[in-house]
């Protein structure tokens, strides 16, 4: 991949599996660079979706966001990634994260220390993909002379899908990059990279982000469409919001005026937050991400499949700008 921002669509966890090949073909044919498949419990499986997308495309990079570290053993995760690399050499961007701890508890695999578990898994998976024989006796990864039979000739960067300061610092030490959940603004990206101890544009550290896409001819209509979503996010704001330079003003506006206050907030706030507004507004948001050092971005469409079909063309247009 080049240093230019690679733009694609994120395949929402609620979409039916068969839609992934249609979406992948449309993105590939249109000139978009990426498709990100989402693995959340208990929806569809990331490696299966990624394999389907890779086998029906020629140029498209497929990202997997994200595999829970403890849902599979480290060798199985490495085997899944290596198999995808065999199907689409140079076109795979795998992500691994803690997983939602409530879901991990439901499956009986919740670790006492998610940080330790993620570090051990990231280190083991990266070594296995590099072709190493791995012996490890950690708290969560216990391997005895394990080596992959078909490691990728060019191992992909294994990205950490995390957001807390301690996890970001861990990613900066042992991962091949970051994938930051939506809404990833340029200011949040800079904050996250600072926590990771990494410099934006580092060629050895791949930076990917997710965003929510809503493009309308009238930006006011786009804002009104997305204001209820933003209101829901602000009920318990996470670091993607609290790191915004205008967060205090945003929170005060929401407390005073509710959803209507969000729909009428300054356009530059929306442009910083997400690709929401006109097509030009969305393109400006992506330029901000690229300037912040982002190399890959996956844009979430609306959760309705018919609406997502329409938005495929918008993703393609943004990717070609």
């Amino acid at each position: 991949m080049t240093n230019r921002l690679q733009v694609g669509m994120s395949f929402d966890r609620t979409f039916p599996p068969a839609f992934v090949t249609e979406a992948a073909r449309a993105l590939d044919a249109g000139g978009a660079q990426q498709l990100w498949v989402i693995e959340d419990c208990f929806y569809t499986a990331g490696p299966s979706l990624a394999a389907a997308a890779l086998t029906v495309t020629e140029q498209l990079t497929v990202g997997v966001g994200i595999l829970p570290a403890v849902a599979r053993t480290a060798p199985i995760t490495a085997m899944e990634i290596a198999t995808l690399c065999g199907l689409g050499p140079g076109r795979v961007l795998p992500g691994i994260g803690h997983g939602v701890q409530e879901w991990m508890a439901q499956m009986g695999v919740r670790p006492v220390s998610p940080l330790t578990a993620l570090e051990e898994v990231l280190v083991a998976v990266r070594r296995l993909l590099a072709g190493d024989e791995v012996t490890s006796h950690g708290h969560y990864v216990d391997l005895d002379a394990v080596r992959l039979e078909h490691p990728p000739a060019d191992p992909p960067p294994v990205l950490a899908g995390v957001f807390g300061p301690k996890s970001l610092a861990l990613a900066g030490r042992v991962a091949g990059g970051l994938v930051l959940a939506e809404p990833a603004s340029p200011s949040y990206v800079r904050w996250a990279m600072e926590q990771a101890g990494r410099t934006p544009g580092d060629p050895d550290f791949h930076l990917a982000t997710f965003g929510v896409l809503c493009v309308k001819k009238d930006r006011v209509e786009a804002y009104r469409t997305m204001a209820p979503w933003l209101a829901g996010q602000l009920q318990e704001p996470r670091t993607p919001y609290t790191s915004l330079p205008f967060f205090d003003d945003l929170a005060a506006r929401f407390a005073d005026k509710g959803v209507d206050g969000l729909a009428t907030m300054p356009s530059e706030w929306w442009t910083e937050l997400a690709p929401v507004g006109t097509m030009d507004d969305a393109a400006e948001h992506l330029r901000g991400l690229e300037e912040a050092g982002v190399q890959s971005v996956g844009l979430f469409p609306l959760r309705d499949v018919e609406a997502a079909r329409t938005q495929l063309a918008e993703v393609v247009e943004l990717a070609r700008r």
Side-chain angles (χ1 to χ4, degrees), residues 35-149:
L35 171 69
W36 284 83
V37 296
I38 306 303
E39 177 168 292
D40 274 344
C41 302
F42 300 94
Y43 293 87
T44 45
S48 304
L49 292 173
L54 287 166
T55 54
V56 298
T57 56
E58 298 293 333
Q59 303 295 324
L60 200 69
T61 292
V62 179
V64 183
I66 57 175
L67 302 175
V70 294
R72 303 168 178 82
T73 64
I76 295 299
T77 297
M79 287 167 58
E80 297 268 31
I81 295 170
T83 300
L84 294 175
C85 291
L87 293 172
R91 297 196 289 129
V92 179
L93 277 176
I96 301 175
H98 296 297
V100 175
Q101 294 305 294
E102 289 78 6
W103 293 340
M104 299 305 104
Q106 281 182 272
M107 296 188 290
V109 294
R110 182 171 184 167
V112 174
S113 174
L115 277 171
T116 301
L118 181 59
E119 179 169 4
E120 290 183 6
V121 169
L122 284 170
V123 170
V125 169
R126 294 188 73 193
R127 288 189 60 198
L128 288 166
L129 291 175
D132 294 347
E133 180 179 280
V134 180
T135 294
S136 174
H137 301 296
H139 294 283
Y140 300 98
V141 176
D142 191 3
L143 306 179
D144 182 13
V146 175
R147 185 196 298 272
L148 295 184
E149 292 293 334

Side-chain angles (χ1 to χ4, degrees), residues 134-301:
V134 180
T135 294
S136 174
H137 301 296
H139 294 283
Y140 300 98
V141 176
D142 191 3
L143 306 179
D144 182 13
V146 175
R147 185 196 298 272
L148 295 184
E149 292 293 334
H150 301 287
D154 185 15
V158 180
L159 313 182
V162 295
F163 62 86
K166 292 182 180 179
S167 297
L168 289 166
L170 168 67
R173 294 196 309 272
V174 302
L178 281 174
V179 52
L180 300 175
E182 71 288 351
S185 65
S187 53
Y188 173 51
V189 167
R190 294 186 181 95
W191 176 86
M193 288 293 279
E194 182 178 347
Q195 303 304 308
R198 290 284 187 157
T199 303
D202 185 341
D204 297 322
F205 198 74
H206 192 98
L207 182 54
T209 64
F210 292 155
V212 290
L213 177 66
C214 183
V215 168
K216 305 286 185 183
K217 290 183 179 179
D218 179 4
R219 61 160 61 113
V220 174
E221 182 184 355
Y223 298 163
R224 292 201 176 278
T225 298
M226 296 304 294
W229 164 81
L230 180 55
Q233 298 291 304
L234 291 175
Q235 297 297 330
E236 295 183 10
R238 298 176 291 112
T239 47
Y241 300 95
T242 57
S243 61
L244 292 167
F246 50 82
F247 173 73
D248 290 342
D249 291 336
L250 172 63
R253 185 182 186 90
F254 178 50
D256 182 41
K257 300 180 179 179
V259 174
D260 286 342
L262 300 179
T264 57
M265 71 186 191
S267 59
E268 58 266 27
W269 290 10
W270 277 110
T271 302
E272 169 72 14
L273 189 64
V276 171
T278 65
M279 187 63 72
D280 287 342
D281 292 332
E284 183 178 346
H285 172 79
L286 295 182
R287 283 193 294 273
L289 290 177
E290 187 171 19
E291 290 170 2
V294 175
Q295 294 151 279
S296 298
V297 60
L299 303 176
F300 277 99

